Every structure is written in structure tokens, then in C-alpha cells.
């Protein structure tokens, strides 16, 4: 048997594990616990878990505190993230209460991937357009062709800024004499 228990008064998550072979109950917490909390937890375990049908020899069960298990912090965070039901008669939206969290994380990861990919794409396009503009300026081509490349560059920068966290301006990329 391995179960998680949450004590709302102390905002404490513990994991209780019963070993049938050793006839012991071991528990760990997500943070350091005080002596008072420890006595309350052990009292709870004696009253609610040791008297369970799964425990064979109730009188001889050894109780061990394993200390802090930092993996429980993630469980506590997930527990805090789930919204409680407003009414007791209300049913959860799905059988998995963490489904909206997983979907939210997946959607966020996909959006982050799209933003990064588009940022990289426009960054490369801006670079090739700047190189093209330099070549055109060096060959002393007429002004209408330079103006067209400058417009294209502005459009690329505008598209880049939609996906990038750090916004750029045309004036940041080109010297003033290019305008």
C-alpha cells in the first residue's frame, strides 16, 4: 500500500507506505515537519490506517518517518492547482482531475514551440534580406529596388516582432543612411 495524504491545516503532503513483509508503515513529507505535526500525523496513521483491513498485525506495526521527499512537492502543487467542486452533488468534468492541467501544459508547450520556430524563421529571413540589401547597395542599383527591399525588411521585422519576446526596430538593424 502506498498512498498520499494532505493535511490542509498545515498545508502538508505526506506519502504513507505499508510494507507487508516487514509489518511497518513508513511515511515521508514534502517539507520538514515539527514535533507537533509529527505527533498528529502518527495519531492519524494509527487511527485511520493501521486499523485498516490491509494491516495484518495491528499491535506490532512499526512506524518510521523517512524525512523529506522532494518529489512530493510536485504532487502538492498539482493538488493545489485542482479547483475543488462548488457543490457536493457536482460531478467532475472528467475522470482525470488533472486533465485540464495536462492539456494546458501541452497547449502552452505547443504555442511556445510555434513562437520559437516562427521567431527563428523570420530571424533568418531578416538576415538574408539584410545581406541582399547590402549587395544591392554595393552594386549601386536604382532607388526603387532598394525601397522594395526595405519594405520587405520592415514586413519581416513586423512579423518577427509578433513572435519574439524582444522586439526590434528597422533602425536597430540598418544604419541611418539606408533610409
Amino acid at each position: 500500500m502506498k498512498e498520499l495524504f494532505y493535511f490542509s491545516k498545515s498545508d502538508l503532503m505526506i506519502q504513507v507506505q505499508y510494507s507487508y513483509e516487514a509489518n511497518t508503515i513508513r511515511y515521508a513529507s514534502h517539507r520538514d515537519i515539527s514535533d507537533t505535526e509529527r505527533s498528529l500525523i502518527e495519531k492519524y496513521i494509527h487511527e485511520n490506517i493501521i486499523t485498516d483491513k490491509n494491516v495484518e498485525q495491528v499491535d506490532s506495526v512499526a512506524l518510521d518517518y523517512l524525512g523529506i521527499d522532494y518529489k512530493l512537492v510536485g504532487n502538492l502543487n498539482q493538488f493545489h492547482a485542482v479547483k475543488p467542486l462548488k457543490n457536493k452533488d457536482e460531478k467532475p468534468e472528467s475522470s482525470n482531475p488533472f486533465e485540464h492541467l495536462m492539456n494546458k501544459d501541452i497547449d502552452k508547450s505547443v504555442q511556445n514551440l510555434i513562437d520559437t520556430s516562427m521567431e527563428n524563421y523570420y530571424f533568418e529571413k531578416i538576415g538574408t534580406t539584410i545581406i541582399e540589401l547590402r549587395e544591392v547597395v554595393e552594386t549601386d542599383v536604382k532607388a526603387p529596388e532598394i525601397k522594395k527591399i526595405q519594405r520587405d525588411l520592415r514586413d519581416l521585422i513586423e512579423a518577427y516582432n509578433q513572435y519574439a519576446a524582444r522586439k526590434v526596430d528597422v533602425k536597430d538593424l540598418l544604419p541611418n543612411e539606408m533610409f
Side-chain angles (χ1 to χ4, degrees):
M1 173 187 97
K2 191 177 196 179
E3 293 188 43
L4 292 174
F5 293 94
Y6 176 69
F7 296 90
S8 60
K9 188 174 182 181
S10 305
D11 192 31
L12 179 68
M13 177 74 68
I14 64 167
Q15 182 175 38
V16 178
Q17 189 172 3
Y18 175 66
S19 172
Y20 293 100
E21 298 83 28
N23 198 33
T24 60
I25 290 184
R26 295 179 177 174
Y27 67 98
S29 59
H30 84 280
R31 62 169 171 80
D32 195 24
I33 59 175
S34 67
D35 292 334
T36 307
E37 289 174 325
R38 187 172 177 169
S39 65
L40 288 172
I41 290 168
E42 290 180 1
K43 182 179 177 186
Y44 178 84
I45 290 172
H46 277 291
E47 291 176 357
N48 298 298
I49 299 171
I50 293 179
T51 59
D52 194 8
K53 299 172 192 171
N54 297 332
V55 180
E56 294 176 9
Q57 301 167 351
V58 174
D59 297 336
S60 63
V61 174
L63 198 60
D64 294 329
Y65 176 58
L66 301 175
I68 300 172
D69 183 359
Y70 291 104
K71 294 176 193 171
L72 295 175
V73 173
N75 293 331
L76 180 66
N77 290 337
Q78 283 186 334
F79 182 78
H80 282 170
V82 175
K83 294 180 182 176
L85 300 176
K86 293 180 183 175
N87 300 326
K88 291 182 180 180
D89 298 334
E90 185 179 349
K91 293 183 179 178
E93 294 175 9
S94 69
S95 60
N96 184 356
F98 299 111
E99 184 175 345
H100 75 281
L101 291 176
M102 290 184 273
N103 290 340
K104 183 179 175 184
D105 290 343
I106 291 170
D107 292 345
K108 188 175 181 180
S109 296
V110 168
Q111 187 60 46
N112 196 14
L113 179 64
I114 290 170
D115 289 348
T116 303
S117 298
M118 295 303 289
E119 180 181 352
N120 292 339
Y121 170 78
Y122 284 117
F123 182 80
E124 290 178 20
K125 293 293 276 181
I126 289 170
T128 56
T129 305
I130 289 173
I131 292 171
E132 180 185 348
L133 183 61
R134 282 186 185 167
E135 291 172 356
V136 168
V137 169
E138 288 174 4
T139 59
D140 199 28
V141 178
K142 297 180 181 177
E145 190 170 338
I146 293 174
K147 293 289 183 190
K148 180 193 174 301
I149 296 173
Q150 286 177 335
R151 270 193 313 269
D152 291 345
L153 186 61
R154 283 192 179 108
D155 291 342
L156 287 171
I157 290 172
E158 185 178 319
Y160 172 83
N161 285 338
Q162 289 180 358
Y163 298 100
R166 182 175 171 239
K167 311 299 183 203
V168 294
D169 190 14
V170 177
K171 296 175 184 174
D172 297 335
L173 301 176
L174 297 176
N176 288 337
E177 58 267 7
M178 292 300 290
F179 297 106

